[in-house]
Amino acid sequence: EFLKKSIQDKEAPMQVAQTRLDTRIRRPNVELCRDPVQHRLVEEVSEISETIESLQAKLRSAENALQQLLRTKAALEQDLSIKNNSIFIDREKCLGMRKTFPMSPRVV
């Protein structure tokens, strides 16, 4: 949730920077120039884009890790239920038969 919030927080500054850059490029009756302001706007847009991409990559890896943990949890719960069923069968059904089955060893 924190990563999703961070990505959403970066979208507004990205839109502002892109709007300023587009406005600066499309000025009517003004010649285009590559001054420090233009360079800084281009840098700012690329920095924000890289930040968003890295946050999205972290979000994908976190979601993949969560899915892997959920699969592991489900497998462990299934193993636990199988073991509980085995213990139940051993105690309730087999223990009574073992008590009545003669277990006296014979020496020949």
Side-chain angles (χ1 to χ4, degrees):
E1 294 301 319
F2 178 72
L3 288 172
K4 288 179 183 178
K5 175 97 170 79
S6 297
I7 291 171
Q8 287 176 348
D9 290 344
K10 294 291 181 188
E11 288 176 1
M14 177 67 153
Q15 289 177 348
V16 169
Q18 284 179 337
T19 303
R20 287 181 181 165
L21 186 61
D22 288 341
T23 303
R24 188 164 174 80
I25 291 172
R26 291 181 176 77
R27 293 183 291 181
N29 300 325
V30 177
E31 226 176 275
L32 293 177
C33 62
R34 299 288 289 177
D35 58 350
V37 175
Q38 178 80 15
H39 291 293
R40 182 63 192 133
L41 280 172
V42 171
E43 287 177 19
E44 184 176 353
V45 168
S46 66
E47 286 175 5
I48 294 172
S49 295
E50 289 172 6
T51 304
I52 289 174
E53 288 174 9
S54 68
L55 286 172
Q56 287 174 341
K58 287 179 185 178
L59 178 63
R60 281 191 300 274
S61 68
E63 287 175 345
N64 290 340
L66 177 63
Q67 290 301 317
Q68 182 63 33
L69 287 172
L70 290 175
R71 283 191 293 271
T72 304
K73 179 183 174 187
L76 288 173
E77 286 175 349
Q78 183 180 9
D79 289 345
L80 188 61
S81 69
I82 290 170
K83 289 178 183 181
N84 282 336
N85 190 28
S86 298
I87 290 173
F88 170 76
I89 290 171
D90 187 48
R91 283 189 184 153
E92 299 299 321
K93 297 186 177 180
C94 296
L95 190 63
M97 283 194 272
R98 273 192 251 144
K99 287 181 180 179
T100 60
F101 190 78
M103 293 295 290
S104 57
R106 291 185 186 171
V107 179
V108 178

